[in-house]
Amino acid sequence: MHTQLSIIDTLKKHNLSVTDARKNILSLFSQSGNALAHADIEQTSSAEFDRVTIYRTLQTFVEKGIIHTIPSSDNSVRYALCKDECAAGNHHHNHIHFICDNCGITYCIDQITVPKIQLPQGFKASQTDLIVSGTCNKCEQ
Amino acid sequence: MHTQLSIIDTLKKHNLSVTDARKNILSLFSQSGNALAHADIEQTSSAEFDRVTIYRTLQTFVEKGIIHTIPSSDNSVRYALCKDECAAGNHHHNHIHFICDNCGITYCIDQITVPKIQLPQGFKASQTDLIVSGTCNKCEQ
DNA sequence: ACGCCATTGCAACTTTGTTGCAAAATATTT
DNA sequence: AAATATTTTGCAACAAAGTTGCAATGGCGT
């Protein structure tokens, strides 16, 4: 199965040992396509993996540059797959994120890039997040 | 004292009864000038007010359009004073926010406005947040 | 197949956020 | 200015989210 193969490859590429939890959680991300919060993952695979394992797996994925965090105002940080250019400790995301107020789905809108921001003297940017919230195309009547 | 007066005025303007907790917490915001997380407020005034009161006060202020939330990736939503144009349930913030990775201070950078984003078909924006993180001008050596 | 090292699950705990209700404070009326 | 109505607060109890240490398990290299 192609998807499964590429998941193992992804883990190996980032020097991670291949475990059930990591394969499972990583495949959740590629299946969903959108961003996931810790709670989403826990609900989907709660029977299989301990809460602590999910926390640690997400943390590891962020450190290794497999997923990145998306800021939110509702105390539920979301995670999404990084693009290929991301390496450990060096995230490059120039796409914006859209959070639907209705269904809660978080989209990575790849078509739109974040404009370059000119900061005041002495401020140095390491990461820029552009989060748009509103109603998504599925929830629109 | 002028500051104290304008704080009371602000509360009255938004149809809120004037209480110690509200005066105190609101003055924390105008004194600091920057954004504050719940934890910041709790540390500063924990002896004075119950945790629950702080939660409810922040919630009330957001609803009334006195403060607004700033998304974050570290599970600590920050709050900052709204500009005058904000009314209840109708926040208009076109400035960006800068979170310093080093000292944790969150700045409202008023000089820079958030560019208008053209979303894909069917997506409707209600709020746009641009959060830049990195090193602030105080932490820069 | 063996042994080492990384990962997992469990338990216990801390922190963060929520809810109901009685007491206290604020606002309103007279 | 006092009495009443209304809102807000603090407490207690709880629920949810996140963390840490440690023994047991499983992955990986030889």
Side-chain angles (χ1 to χ4, degrees):
Chain A
M1 182 180 165
H2 172 259
T3 316
Q4 188 68 6
L5 256 179
S6 73
I7 279 169
I8 293 175
D9 286 348
T10 304
L11 291 173
K12 285 185 178 166
K13 198 190 304 179
H14 291 88
N15 295 311
L16 290 175
S17 45
V18 180
T19 68
D20 284 353
R22 288 176 181 166
K23 278 191 289 186
N24 199 305
I25 292 173
L26 185 50
S27 75
L28 277 184
F29 278 103
S30 52
Q31 274 164 38
S32 115
N34 295 316
L36 300 173
H38 174 96
D40 298 325
I41 296 167
E42 200 173 318
Q43 279 161 25
T44 316
S45 61
S46 60
E48 295 184 75
F49 304 110
D50 194 79
R51 235 157 36 85
V52 178
T53 301
I54 299 174
Y55 280 115
R56 294 198 265 227
T57 302
L58 290 173
Q59 193 181 305
T60 304
F61 284 0
V62 170
E63 282 163 7
K64 294 291 182 176
I66 298 175
I67 60 177
H68 62 277
T69 57
I70 301 166
S72 86
S73 285
D74 64 352
N75 283 315
S76 91
V77 176
R78 279 141 233 237
Y79 303 85
L81 285 178
C82 288
K83 308 298 163 192
D84 292 335
E85 320 94 60
C86 290
N90 193 10
H91 291 272
H92 302 285
H93 300 284
N94 55 358
H95 61 280
I96 76 165
H97 293 107
F98 185 94
I99 304 182
C100 180
D101 294 328
N102 189 244
C103 64
I105 291 182
T106 301
Y107 301 85
C108 295
I109 312 254
D110 292 306
Q111 302 92 324
I112 304 170
T113 55
V114 177
K116 197 80 189 156
I117 304 296
Q118 185 71 36
L119 292 169
Q121 270 282 308
F123 286 81
K124 264 193 192 137
S126 66
Q127 199 183 338
T128 304
D129 284 290
L130 182 43
I131 295 114
V132 183
S133 57
T135 321
C136 76
N137 57 358
K138 284 179 194 155
C139 292
E140 167 108 324
Q141 306 96 329
Chain B
M1 185 180 164
H2 173 259
T3 317
Q4 188 67 3
L5 255 177
S6 73
I7 280 169
I8 292 175
D9 285 349
T10 304
L11 291 172
K12 284 185 176 165
K13 198 189 304 178
H14 291 90
N15 295 312
L16 290 175
S17 45
V18 179
T19 68
D20 285 351
R22 288 176 181 166
K23 279 190 288 185
N24 198 304
I25 292 173
L26 185 50
S27 74
L28 276 184
F29 278 104
S30 52
Q31 275 165 35
S32 113
N34 295 315
L36 300 173
H38 175 96
D40 298 326
I41 297 167
E42 202 174 316
Q43 279 161 25
T44 316
S45 62
S46 62
E48 295 183 76
F49 305 109
D50 194 81
R51 234 155 39 85
V52 178
T53 302
I54 299 173
Y55 279 115
R56 293 197 266 226
T57 302
L58 289 173
Q59 193 180 305
T60 304
F61 284 0
V62 170
E63 282 164 5
K64 294 291 181 175
I66 298 175
I67 60 177
H68 63 277
T69 57
I70 302 165
S72 85
S73 285
D74 63 353
N75 284 313
S76 89
V77 176
R78 281 142 232 241
Y79 303 86
L81 285 178
C82 287
K83 308 299 165 193
D84 293 336
E85 321 94 59
C86 290
N90 193 10
H91 290 271
H92 301 286
H93 299 283
N94 54 359
H95 61 281
I96 76 166
H97 293 107
F98 184 94
I99 304 182
C100 180
D101 294 328
N102 187 246
C103 65
I105 292 182
T106 301
Y107 301 85
C108 296
I109 312 255
D110 293 306
Q111 301 93 322
I112 303 169
T113 56
V114 177
K116 198 78 188 158
I117 304 295
Q118 185 72 37
L119 291 169
Q121 271 282 306
F123 286 81
K124 265 195 191 136
S126 67
Q127 200 184 338
T128 304
D129 283 288
L130 182 43
I131 297 112
V132 183
S133 56
T135 320
C136 76
N137 57 358
K138 283 179 194 155
C139 292
E140 167 106 326
Q141 308 95 328

